Amino acid sequence: MTFRAVALVVFAIALALVPVLTPATAEFWITQANYIGLYTLVVIGLVLLTGIAGLTSFGQAAFVGMGAYTAAYLTLTYGMSPWLTVWVGLAVTGVAALLLAFITLRMSGHFLPLATIAWGLSLFYLLGNLDFLGKYDGLLGIPAITFFGTPLNTGRSFFYLLWTIVVLAAIAVTHLLDSRVGRALRAVKGGSTMAEAMGIDTFRVKVTAFVLAALLASVSGWLFAHFQRTVNPSPFGLNMGIEYLFMAVLGGVGYVWGALIGAGVVQVLKDQLQVWLPRLMGTSGNYEIIVFGVLLVLMLQYARDGLWAFVDGVLPRVRRKVDWAAAAALPARPRPSHGEVVLDVRNARKEFGGLVAVNDVSFQVRAGEILGLIGPNGAGKSTTFNLVTGVLPATRGEVALLGRRIDRVASRRIASLGVSRTFQHVKMIAGMTVLENVALGAHLRGGRGVPAAMLRLDRAEERSLMREAERQLQRIGMAELMHEQAGNLALGQQRLMEIARALAADPILLLLDEPAAGLRLKEKEGLANVLRQLRGEGLSILLVEHDMDLVMGLVDRVVVMEFGTKLIEGTPEEVQASPAVRAAYLGTEH
Ligand code: ADP
Ligand code: MG
């Protein structure tokens, strides 16, 4: 058993003893613990949504309200069992979250947080104005949840149900983060270009995070209704939405268990402040909000990663156990036959306003061939890559892969057809290990989704993905670094990691944008050997590189660009002999 697993068991036992060991005179603390559990559930969702996927929401309290009101209304009006209403609540919240996600998640920048504020407010006023939901008085007399005939109508009995759900949710989300979907979730935080290039549907991933967070909030609402035995709009308004986010930030928005710390500290602190602040100020009022505001600013200044970061710092680093040596190999793509035209670029053009970055450029890459694309800085090489990989739409012209037009196809669809790339400026998830970053490249070669990941039913596939990631790292000579955090690597190693990631996609066409920049001589030689070997296996490679010794000693043909225009195409010998090329390179010798 790992240290973390032992810690979890100890925590679960300690938790189970809380109701037993708390004296009857301290019932108050059982109530506090129950509120902390209810909040933790919501905040775990926020960790997923905000900490992992990078989407800020002030509106989670509204989803808690949906779960709570659905449960309250259905039990009171139809006498429905809470064990049924929880599912109805999940369905109602899920549909509402899906709708909201489709409306708001395409918004960029600050619009999403603003939209979450808007719906947080609207639900509050809606609940307060609906007759059948009791307006601002809410619904009273909600029965307790009954567990095999026993009503959970005391704080202590409710505690067990609540905290079982909290711990299971934390475990499920932890499992999710350590999976194919979890890596995709992390990948959308830094922008969509890299994730889409790995075949990840970033919009869908965001919707997933959004709906999951809403569902966790809904369960919390269901429990809340049966714990308080009454519901009214006030705990589901914007204030509480802000408080949930504060709990997440305080605990550590990137950590599942930070949710517990955040919810715990805020609840206890709020309670104490409500006692002490009015005495200090002489009058009563919601002064704790001011203290929370100041605390939040201090946190963001001095402890951005939240309180759990300190705990995480002392815990031993989790090192993925290498259990995939015997895993099944992932299925491979059929390869085009040698010499077949893989990529056909015909009069591709890209204008940025008045600037013609790529000026009617044409070239072909055949199976089992390395084509070098060279030219001074600003010649349009990276833009050409972006046209081929669907990152940018071409202004005019055609791009075809194995005879099929791809110039109007989305980046991730192109990835799924077997085009894989690296970036001139490394794009990776710095906080993930090298192995996990490379596994991102194999995203489309797996298919397990959220439920499988949460229940750990994805392990066979996960082992195959890890085996593939390690295999590609071995090929590139980096296997011994697989457990490192990617952000700790030297720049040259990060570039090599990107190549391994691209290879993990099992591409038929590989596009490398300045792969040797920052590499040492030995590493460059190693890279050249790997590329030769890949060519021998029938892969097509389009290589942008400034190191002329590397390019000329490696490629079959060269295309030279300058100011967006193709100057010449030929063998390395032909190109090197060309006076036009010499002129273009004068003063920009590399
Ligand atoms: P290279 O990779 O050959 O150095 P790029 O393709 O990056 O060149 O750039 C070609 C030209 O297009 C440059 O003048 C660059 O400033 C311009 N350019 C590239 N991307 C953009 C963009 N997104 N918006 C506006 N101009 C761009
Ligand atoms: Mg470039």
Side-chain angles (χ1 to χ4, degrees):
M1 240 163 119
T2 65
F3 177 83
R4 281 176 196 246
V6 173
L8 181 63
V9 170
V10 171
F11 173 70
I13 293 172
L15 213 49
L17 290 175
V18 168
V20 181
L21 298 181
T22 310
T25 49
E27 195 62 32
F28 168 76
W29 287 104
I30 299 284
T31 309
Q32 288 293 72
N34 283 339
Y35 277 114
I36 292 170
L38 290 170
Y39 299 156
T40 302
L41 217 43
V42 184
V43 180
I44 289 174
L46 268 180
V47 166
L48 206 56
L49 186 64
T50 305
I52 306 298
L55 304 167
T56 306
S57 167
F58 293 98
Q60 294 312 102
F63 297 126
V64 183
M66 286 180 203
Y69 268 90
T70 308
Y73 182 75
L74 293 178
T75 40
L76 288 173
T77 314
Y78 300 106
M80 216 187 246
S81 157
W83 297 108
L84 281 179
T85 61
V86 63
W87 299 106
V88 183
L90 285 170
V92 169
T93 316
V95 170
L98 261 181
L99 277 174
L100 281 169
F102 274 92
I103 298 168
T104 55
L105 286 187
R106 292 195 197 272
M107 298 179 176
S108 57
H110 297 303
F111 287 111
L112 175 69
L114 287 178
T116 66
I117 290 176
W119 89 62
L121 281 174
S122 9
L123 188 94
F124 174 78
Y125 289 112
L126 183 68
L127 292 175
N129 284 299
L130 289 177
D131 266 325
F132 75 106
L133 294 180
K135 295 203 163 179
Y136 287 101
D137 295 331
L139 302 169
L140 309 170
I142 303 163
I145 297 174
T146 306
F147 189 72
F148 289 108
T150 314
L152 306 179
N153 54 4
T154 64
R156 282 163 212 258
S157 54
F158 183 80
F159 181 99
Y160 284 109
L161 171 67
L162 167 66
W163 280 95
T164 304
I165 293 176
V166 172
V167 170
L168 289 180
I171 293 173
V173 171
T174 308
H175 285 170
L176 177 66
L177 292 183
D178 173 35
S179 75
R180 172 178 173 271
V181 183
R183 289 186 289 276
L185 278 166
R186 288 181 201 279
V188 302
K189 193 175 176 181
S192 60
T193 307
M194 184 274 281
E196 292 274 334
M198 298 303 127
I200 295 168
D201 185 340
T202 54
F203 182 69
R204 190 177 158 164
V205 167
K206 288 179 190 173
V207 172
T208 304
F210 192 82
V211 171
L212 282 175
L215 293 181
L216 283 165
S218 177
V219 173
S220 173
W222 169 71
L223 288 161
F224 186 92
H226 292 285
F227 173 57
Q228 291 230 327
R229 315 286 289 274
T230 136
V231 290
N232 65 64
S234 60
F236 312 125
L238 187 57
N239 262 352
M240 206 50 216
I242 294 172
E243 231 167 84
Y244 284 128
L245 195 60
F246 177 56
M247 292 176 196
V249 173
L250 187 75
V253 78
Y255 305 100
V256 173
W257 293 99
L260 178 68
I261 303 284
V265 170
V266 169
Q267 177 62 15
V268 172
L269 202 62
K270 186 161 92 172
D271 186 65
Q272 296 301 311
L273 289 173
Q274 274 168 353
V275 174
W276 289 104
L277 282 180
R279 294 192 195 171
L280 286 176
M281 315 285 259
T283 55
S284 58
N286 285 341
Y287 298 121
E288 71 274 6
I289 295 292
I290 301 171
V291 177
F292 285 164
V294 173
L295 253 176
L296 186 61
V297 171
L298 288 176
M299 288 294 303
L300 293 178
Q301 278 291 331
Y302 298 107
R304 283 192 157 235
D305 298 330
L307 297 177
W308 189 263
F310 298 108
V311 182
D312 197 66
V314 237
L315 290 179
R317 294 260 295 108
V318 219
R319 199 183 161 147
R320 192 179 273 273
K321 206 167 110 246
V322 181
D323 59 357
W324 53 80
L330 294 171
R333 210 185 291 276
R335 300 226 166 248
S337 45
H338 191 86
E340 192 179 337
V341 176
V342 172
L343 178 70
D344 192 2
V345 178
R346 291 185 292 260
N347 296 316
R349 184 179 188 84
K350 183 65 192 177
E351 298 170 5
F352 294 112
L355 178 88
V356 184
V358 177
N359 187 1
D360 300 334
V361 168
S362 303
F363 61 87
Q364 293 183 330
V365 188
R366 291 170 182 277
E369 174 186 56
I370 304 181
L371 178 70
L373 184 57
I374 66 169
N377 277 327
K381 308 180 295 292
S382 293
T383 305
T384 304
F385 266 35
N386 288 337
L387 297 184
V388 171
T389 53
V391 171
L392 294 171
T395 308
R396 271 210 303 277
E398 295 175 9
V399 181
L401 184 76
L402 292 173
R404 172 184 174 164
R405 286 279 293 270
I406 56 169
D407 46 80
R408 285 288 171 271
V409 175
S411 177
R412 71 166 180 280
R413 289 285 306 139
I414 295 176
S416 75
L417 296 173
V419 178
S420 202
R421 68 173 293 182
T422 65
F423 295 88
Q424 182 176 348
H425 306 286
V426 173
K427 292 188 198 293
M428 57 174 186
I429 316 298
M432 286 197 327
T433 64
V434 172
L435 191 73
E436 290 168 324
N437 269 282
V438 174
L440 215 46
H443 183 80
L444 288 176
R445 304 175 74 186
R448 289 307 204 129
V450 173
M454 285 186 158
L455 298 171
R456 279 291 197 236
L457 299 175
D458 62 340
R459 290 299 100 179
E461 179 185 282
E462 184 73 359
R463 281 194 289 275
S464 293
L465 291 173
M466 290 302 142
R467 175 181 180 266
E468 176 67 8
E470 186 187 4
R471 194 171 74 93
Q472 298 304 345
L473 279 165
Q474 246 156 16
R475 161 177 253 165
I476 215 89
M478 276 183 60
E480 76 283 3
L481 290 172
M482 67 180 173
H483 297 297
E484 278 294 325
Q485 295 261 303
N488 294 344
L489 299 187
L491 183 63
Q493 293 170 326
Q494 291 175 347
R495 288 187 175 288
L496 291 175
M497 177 183 78
E498 276 207 331
I499 298 174
R501 184 179 68 195
L503 289 173
D506 185 32
I508 51 175
L509 174 66
L510 180 65
L511 289 81
L512 303 175
D513 202 344
E514 305 197 16
L519 294 200
R520 286 181 292 230
L521 187 62
K522 268 256 169 299
E523 290 172 323
K524 283 185 189 178
E525 285 166 0
L527 174 63
N529 285 332
V530 172
L531 297 185
R532 280 190 194 99
Q533 189 200 337
L534 289 168
R535 168 173 57 190
E537 293 170 17
L539 190 67
S540 311
I541 302 173
L542 183 57
L543 174 72
V544 165
E545 182 49 57
H546 280 306
D547 185 322
M548 283 307 131
D549 292 335
L550 181 73
V551 172
M552 296 305 176
L554 183 62
V555 304
D556 300 289
R557 283 180 307 120
V558 186
V559 167
V560 186
M561 286 178 75
E562 190 194 19
F563 299 124
T565 309
K566 179 167 135 183
L567 273 187
I568 181 175
E569 175 177 345
T571 63
E573 295 73 31
E574 289 164 359
V575 166
Q576 277 169 309
S578 150
V581 172
R582 287 170 185 233
Y585 268 85
L586 270 183
T588 55
E589 197 83 277
H590 284 274

